[in-house]
Amino acid sequence: MKNLQTLYLLPLLALASLFTKMSGSVPPRPVLTGPHMAYLNSRVAFRCIAPDSSPPVTYQLMRNASIPIFTGTDLQGDKPASFSLKVAATSEGSYHCKATAEGSTGVSNIITLSVVIPASNTRVAAEPFPPVAYEGSRIVLKCTVTRGSHLSYIWFFNRIKSNIFNLSSFPSHW
């Protein structure tokens, strides 16, 4: 009779064990924070945290879908992993983090980082040259930059921001 009761309890114990394993393996939900733009040669910090995950939590910062850059571990719980990165021209791209806890892995949101290269060797040229203007004549100003990204232009007349220029009529290479 005792063996028969044990036989009936075994499937229940197996089912309870499976339920416990399934309920304990909720994947972490990491959140990545960090900048969307950064200057070339500066340092940026990305932070990843998987709230309510049981320690230890292992974090990986990933670039462009699958390239792991850094790995960190939180042994105490609810501590963010910080990843410091020196910005190079090749740092531009998308970043996310993976968090692994209790054998389950979760993936964070994506941050797209743009690298800003400061303008260098900026020059203003005029046509005609030298810029001599008579009433009713036309002068074309041209701004050139040898290097830079994410550029915008503001024109000044006598050190005052000027609205007299029709920017829509400027060529797109300005």
Side-chain angles (χ1 to χ4, degrees):
M1 182 78 165
K2 194 173 190 181
N3 285 343
L4 192 58
Q5 287 176 338
T6 306
L7 202 69
Y8 285 105
L9 287 176
L10 281 176
L12 287 174
L13 288 173
L15 189 60
S17 174
L18 180 64
F19 179 76
T20 303
K21 285 182 182 177
M22 285 175 53
S23 65
S25 65
V26 175
R29 297 178 189 256
V31 176
L32 181 65
T33 57
H36 292 276
M37 291 184 111
Y39 283 106
L40 183 66
N41 297 322
S42 67
R43 290 196 87 62
V44 295
F46 288 101
R47 292 175 52 142
C48 186
I49 188 166
D52 304 323
S53 293
S54 298
V57 181
T58 302
Y59 295 100
Q60 277 190 310
L61 182 65
M62 312 290 281
R63 191 178 98 221
N64 294 339
S66 63
I67 303 168
I69 301 175
F70 298 109
T71 301
T73 303
D74 172 19
L75 299 173
Q76 298 172 351
D78 283 342
K79 300 280 185 201
S82 293
F83 304 106
S84 181
L85 174 72
K86 183 171 182 184
V87 178
T90 57
S91 300
E92 194 160 273
S94 60
Y95 291 82
H96 70 275
C97 73
K98 286 184 179 180
T100 303
E102 297 181 329
S104 294
T105 301
V107 179
S108 75
N109 54 300
I110 294 173
I111 293 178
T112 303
L113 180 68
S114 296
V115 176
V116 179
I117 300 170
S120 62
N121 202 18
T122 306
R123 295 176 188 228
V124 175
E127 279 184 28
F129 185 82
V132 177
Y134 301 99
E135 189 175 338
S137 66
R138 180 179 166 170
I139 293 180
V140 176
L141 298 176
K142 185 176 181 181
C143 184
T144 59
V145 176
T146 57
R147 186 174 184 209
S149 67
H150 305 284
L151 300 173
S152 62
Y153 299 89
I154 299 172
W155 292 94
F156 291 83
F157 180 71
N158 290 337
R159 297 182 188 233
I160 299 172
K161 187 175 173 181
S162 180
N163 293 325
I164 63 169
F165 297 100
N166 180 1
L167 294 178
S168 63
S169 66
F170 286 180
S172 61
H173 64 275
W174 283 25

